[in-house]
Amino acid sequence: MQASKADIIQQLQQQIFPLQGLKHTPAAAAPKFGLGPIEHAFPNHCFPTGAIHEFICDDLPGTAASGGFIAGLLGVLMKDNGASLWISSSRTLFPPALSSFGLSPDRLIFIDVKNEKHLPWVLEEALKCNGLSAVVGEIKEMSFTASRRLQLAVEQSRVTGFLLRQQPKCLATTACVARWKINSLISEVDQDLPGIGFPRWKVDLLKIRNGKPGSWEVSWIQNQFRFTPVITAIPAILKRKAG
Amino acid sequence: MSQRFVAIWFRHLTTDALSRQQPELRHVPFVLAAKDHGRLVITAANPKATSEGITTGMVVADARAILPGLHVVDEVPGRESELLHAIAEWCIRYAPITAVDIPDVIFLDCSGCAHLWGGETEYVEHLQSRLNAFGYSVRISMADTIGTAWAIARYGRPPLIVAPGAQFDALLPMPAASLRLDRSIIELVVKLGLRQVKDFIGMPATALRRRFGKAFVQRLAQALGQEEENLQPVQPIEPYQERLPCLEPIVTAIGIEIAVKQLLDQLCLPLKKVEKGLRQACLKCYRVDGKIESVSIGTNRPSNNIPHLFKLFEYKLPTIEPALGIELFVLEAPIVEDIKPLQEKLWEGSCGLESLALSRLIDHLSIKIGAENIHRYLPDEHHWPERSIKNATTLDETASIPWKREQPRPMQLLASPQPIEVTAPIPDYPPMLFRYKGQLHKIKKADGPERIEQEWWLQEGQHRDYYAVEDEEGKRYWLFRLGHYDAAKTYQWFIHGFFA
């Protein structure tokens, strides 16, 4: 009887997902993000596309790290010559950097909204457009209602939205499916070779609807996400050595 | 269909215009005069003055002798041309092509227009009454050729409408001066006793050409319709232009919307037939008070999709000020391009730069936030970071060179490099620590230097030595030193970007 109860719960959960705007995509059709262990945190074990993801950044290096992680995801989303929009009111993104994350910068269209009041409108219009693979928006503050509008827009158009929120004043609940925080980590270099290694981030999934939040260490190596198994014992030893 | 032309001869153009401005002048004889060799010579006289025997070319002193109370006003040079152009533009409501003939005639190409007013007589009467109401005394004629219309307007007897194909008979009793020729030629013709057109119309063209020159024969042929004559329109005609005259002046927003929809319907139909789409459209609203309100839109990809174009106009329509009403709407498409015969349905759901939905979205956004705020970048052949990208002009433009991936480039680039304080071992090592915005960063790892030289043909300046550095928290920065190390310490360190 125990097993059947779990089945029923599973079944009910599957019925709830579409109501919450998570459409089930068959495993074969879903894009492969190569997110490895992170994917277990998502509902249905697959990265929610056609939803809004929110990234919290503390400072410019944090924004750069989030930008790198998003670029890695965009590379997969725009695989079939897709196009994306990058909407911001004060853009510092340097397009040539994106080419090292497996996407062609000329397939991105940058919208610089001078008046911040227009930002939510532009975001919503962009997210409604089904000719896009993804939309990235740099928006600092967002109310629950505004995020809800964006979520409703993507449920229709199935566009994936990424919101970069740099130093938001208030971190209230939003209707976004996931809330991430990406921070840089010291890069790993083999045998103390000189120079900087591959980009390495601490990826915190702070909130995920119907999933399990968690924390991972991710590197970007040769156009792929690579995971370092988090072993809690070793860093302590290293610390002692270094100290 | 045969062509029909209207000639409007303003008998007292400048004086009528002046009495329009100063109604008190209407009932007094007055003249316009200009200085010529130290004398005041009359250049125009109003009907009252003319009836007293004052003609143009008279000296003011002589005229004063005839009429002591004569009012004299200084002539404004170029006034005729100004007036004629303004009136010709106003006349566009009667015919799409209007042209001026300085000093006192306006031509309208009214082919296919007259029936809208109920016939040629009504058309001319309507035009006459409107111009008379403005205070201009005019003679309006209509004929198959420009030359005949001009001749009849000047010298013809009413009715001034020449039936189609009857210009030969109409011209016969006209004086030689009716051929729009130089005064010297006319004087010669009259001297030879050829006072009327019928006196020389039967002569062989070769004989006429030998005696009076090429222009004479040409004008005659043009008046008879044997040779084509073109008008120089006051407003050049757009090949794709639609007009919507309104019975009642339109003042409401809904009225304007309906007008725009109707015009778009009319404009897009021929465009669809020839597989073209407009890149730019301009809506002109002719107001009752003579002012013209205009709004224009642009698209990223040629389009003849009516709902999309209407949506673009919808944002701009509130800026139109109808005032007392709009009596004519004109929609023009100055830039028209071929549409690649796309299967719209096939591309509808697709993602990518080719997607129709995307180009429509961009049109949309550019109307609201301005097209200059929308960018797409292509790699440019420069190493200097600020110049390494250029704006793409269209959505279709592809990169001529591949994106460079050999050298690390930061994810975030500051708009301008910020100076930082640095401790660095000399001469060419990366810094050990730097201070940016009051915060000290200890550098653990570094790559570089990558020297980027200033492009002397574009800008003078020192080279930059870039280092990619990582601090103890793992944050990665792009720093550079401007110039060489030297004892005088003229170099300076900057932070330029942040790596992912």
Side-chain angles (χ1 to χ4, degrees):
Chain A
M1 282 309 281
Q2 278 295 321
S4 70
K5 204 175 189 177
D7 280 348
I8 291 167
I9 290 174
Q10 177 79 19
Q11 226 170 11
L12 286 173
Q13 185 73 57
Q14 291 298 335
Q15 283 172 9
I16 290 170
F17 284 158
L19 298 177
Q20 288 183 324
L22 274 172
K23 271 192 195 144
H24 182 70
T25 36
K32 301 268 180 299
F33 288 93
L35 280 171
I38 303 184
E39 280 176 6
H40 295 296
F42 301 131
N44 291 333
H45 298 299
C46 101
F47 182 85
T49 52
I52 308 267
H53 297 255
E54 144 181 66
F55 290 78
I56 310 291
C57 329
D58 294 332
D59 46 9
L60 265 174
T63 315
S66 306
F69 187 74
I70 292 173
L73 298 173
L74 281 182
V76 179
L77 284 168
M78 290 162 59
K79 212 167 38 197
D80 307 321
N81 276 339
S84 295
L85 247 58
W86 193 292
I87 301 161
S88 104
S89 57
S90 53
R91 182 167 52 87
T92 45
L93 184 92
F94 189 49
L98 297 170
S99 61
S100 55
F101 288 91
L103 73 129
S104 177
D106 53 75
R107 308 202 64 83
L108 242 77
I109 297 166
F110 296 91
I111 316 265
D112 299 325
V113 184
K114 290 276 155 63
N115 189 344
E116 277 193 39
K117 273 188 202 157
H118 291 156
L119 210 51
W121 178 84
V122 174
L123 267 173
E124 197 184 329
E125 287 295 313
L127 287 169
K128 273 185 197 161
C129 172
N130 55 8
L132 289 169
S133 305
V135 173
V136 187
E138 293 181 34
I139 185 164
K140 204 170 172 181
E141 304 300 332
M142 197 173 46
S143 66
F144 181 73
T145 327
S147 69
R148 192 98 180 241
R149 287 184 71 104
L150 301 186
Q151 180 65 29
L152 288 174
V154 292
E155 278 173 25
Q156 286 293 317
S157 63
R158 310 300 301 154
V159 175
T160 313
F162 299 100
L163 300 181
L164 266 171
R165 299 183 61 190
Q166 203 187 337
Q167 294 164 313
K169 275 196 197 111
C170 102
L171 265 179
T173 319
T174 56
C176 301
V177 159
R179 176 177 286 173
W180 303 75
K181 187 164 191 174
I182 318 284
N183 275 314
S184 304
L185 279 182
I186 297 172
S187 58
E188 286 174 333
V189 184
D190 285 346
Q191 295 156 0
D192 291 334
L193 284 171
I196 298 177
F198 293 108
R200 195 156 154 263
W201 308 300
K202 186 164 183 291
V203 176
D204 294 314
L205 186 54
L206 303 173
K207 280 184 185 178
I208 171 90
R209 210 192 293 158
N210 299 314
K212 293 182 216 86
S215 177
W216 300 269
E217 287 182 9
V218 184
S219 308
W220 179 262
I221 302 173
Q222 287 164 349
N223 284 341
Q224 265 182 347
F225 292 110
R226 293 280 172 86
F227 291 85
T228 27
V230 185
I231 308 163
T232 43
I234 289 174
I237 298 166
L238 282 176
K239 209 186 237 173
R240 209 178 299 148
K241 246 189 200 169
Chain B
M1 194 179 68
S2 69
Q3 283 193 303
R4 297 291 278 169
F5 293 94
V6 161
I8 308 170
W9 176 40
F10 291 82
R11 300 170 69 179
H12 307 280
L13 179 69
T14 41
T15 52
D16 282 348
L18 197 67
S19 26
R20 229 188 127 201
Q21 283 169 352
Q22 303 172 21
E24 70 274 10
L25 287 176
R26 205 164 285 167
H27 305 292
V28 283
F30 75 95
V31 292
L32 297 181
K35 276 212 173 100
D36 179 37
H37 295 97
R39 308 171 304 170
L40 268 179
V41 177
I42 293 169
T43 53
N46 77 340
K48 276 254 185 256
T50 318
S51 64
E52 299 285 345
I54 293 163
T55 55
T56 55
M58 249 185 193
V59 182
V60 170
D62 295 348
R64 282 233 167 93
I66 301 171
L67 200 71
L70 186 69
H71 193 80
V72 179
V73 183
D74 281 340
E75 188 208 36
V76 184
R79 181 88 179 117
E80 296 105 333
S81 154
E82 222 172 80
L83 283 168
L84 280 179
H85 272 96
I87 299 169
E89 277 188 19
W90 177 87
C91 285
I92 287 177
R93 69 200 64 204
Y94 287 96
I97 299 174
T98 60
V100 297
D101 185 20
I102 311 265
D104 50 9
V105 176
I106 288 177
F107 292 115
L108 313 182
D109 181 351
C110 63
S111 321
C113 296
H115 73 275
L116 298 171
W117 275 262
E120 290 182 345
T121 329
E122 287 82 357
Y123 181 80
V124 170
E125 272 171 11
H126 195 266
L127 186 54
Q128 177 111 33
S129 65
R130 286 296 291 270
L131 286 170
N132 285 348
F134 285 136
Y136 292 107
S137 122
V138 290
R139 276 168 63 95
I140 302 175
S141 69
M142 191 187 270
D144 276 3
T145 62
I146 299 167
T148 312
W150 191 90
I152 302 292
R154 273 244 170 174
Y155 304 102
R157 284 168 202 278
L160 298 180
I161 297 172
V162 179
Q167 60 267 32
F168 185 87
D169 295 332
L171 276 178
L172 288 180
M174 292 294 122
S178 69
L179 281 181
R180 291 184 294 158
L181 287 163
D182 277 353
R183 185 186 290 263
S184 57
I185 299 177
I186 292 167
E187 273 171 8
L188 180 66
V189 174
V190 172
K191 213 183 229 173
L192 293 171
L194 307 172
R195 289 173 196 284
Q196 286 179 329
V197 175
K198 65 182 170 201
D199 297 335
F200 54 79
I201 202 162
M203 290 183 182
T206 43
L208 289 174
R209 181 180 292 120
R210 203 169 54 238
R211 277 176 192 277
F212 309 120
K214 208 170 140 194
F216 184 86
V217 182
Q218 191 193 9
R219 282 294 192 207
L220 192 61
Q222 280 175 345
L224 292 171
Q226 292 155 350
E227 196 171 312
E228 199 159 333
E229 187 180 356
N230 292 318
L231 290 176
Q232 179 91 39
V234 175
Q235 278 188 2
I237 295 295
E238 304 289 341
Y240 290 99
Q241 188 202 49
E242 289 300 330
R243 302 157 53 82
L244 183 71
C246 306
L247 274 178
E248 294 272 325
I250 302 291
V251 285
T252 59
I254 292 172
I256 298 174
E257 274 178 24
I258 293 170
V260 172
K261 264 185 201 155
Q262 204 168 331
L263 283 171
L264 280 173
D265 277 343
Q266 293 171 10
L267 187 72
C268 289
L269 200 70
L271 284 174
K272 270 180 190 158
K273 273 187 193 151
V274 291
E275 283 184 348
K276 280 177 190 290
L278 57 88
R279 288 288 309 271
Q280 252 182 35
C282 179
L283 175 75
K284 285 185 186 155
C285 310
Y286 291 77
R287 286 186 354 197
V288 176
D289 58 1
K291 294 220 171 72
I292 301 172
E293 292 273 314
S294 72
V295 289
S296 47
I297 56 153
T299 60
N300 278 285
R301 221 174 262 285
S303 167
N304 54 26
N305 183 305
I306 297 165
H308 171 59
L309 294 172
F310 178 70
K311 213 167 180 187
L312 299 183
F313 269 117
E314 222 175 1
Y315 290 110
K316 299 262 180 135
L317 292 187
T319 60
I320 296 174
E321 174 65 59
L324 292 170
I326 297 164
E327 52 182 355
L328 173 68
F329 292 92
V330 175
L331 184 67
E332 286 168 4
I335 301 182
V336 173
E337 284 177 9
D338 285 342
I339 284 188
K340 280 183 211 139
L342 275 184
Q343 299 221 342
E344 286 206 17
K345 278 277 173 259
L346 192 71
W347 288 98
E348 220 161 51
S350 75
C351 302
L353 293 173
E354 305 78 23
S355 154
L356 287 171
L358 175 62
S359 67
R360 280 180 198 156
L361 169 75
I362 303 239
D363 292 346
H364 222 171
L365 295 180
S366 56
I367 292 275
K368 180 102 174 184
I369 63 166
E372 70 280 1
N373 294 325
I374 296 176
H375 306 281
R376 193 169 77 88
Y377 295 104
L378 295 175
D380 204 358
E381 286 167 317
H382 295 285
H383 290 290
W384 200 253
E386 286 92 333
R387 286 195 281 265
S388 62
I389 50 173
K390 63 178 175 193
N391 271 320
T393 46
T394 61
L395 283 174
D396 300 318
E397 197 178 343
T398 50
S400 51
I401 51 166
W403 289 94
K404 291 191 197 79
R405 295 182 53 178
E406 307 85 56
Q407 298 294 344
R409 286 291 175 264
M411 188 55 89
Q412 303 282 331
L413 191 81
L414 294 170
S416 59
Q418 302 289 318
I420 47 170
E421 287 169 37
V422 157
T423 312
I426 44 174
D428 265 344
Y429 286 97
M432 294 188 297
L433 41 89
F434 72 94
R435 191 185 290 276
Y436 173 56
K437 285 192 174 166
Q439 212 181 343
L440 196 67
H441 301 274
K442 278 186 190 149
I443 290 165
K444 291 284 173 195
K445 292 170 186 163
D447 266 333
E450 178 195 351
R451 175 164 294 182
I452 302 182
E453 285 282 355
Q454 183 64 266
E455 290 150 313
W456 55 263
W457 57 96
L458 294 174
Q459 198 184 333
E460 288 286 324
Q462 287 176 298
H463 65 258
R464 293 171 175 180
D465 283 337
Y466 276 100
Y467 293 90
V469 300
E470 185 180 290
D471 70 1
E472 72 268 62
E473 290 170 40
K475 290 173 180 166
R476 289 171 276 269
Y477 306 91
W478 209 32
L479 313 178
F480 72 84
R481 187 189 59 231
L482 193 69
H484 289 286
Y485 266 113
D486 58 10
K489 232 185 169 250
T490 51
Y491 59 90
Q492 170 71 46
W493 283 86
F494 292 91
I495 183 166
H496 203 183
F498 305 89
F499 286 98

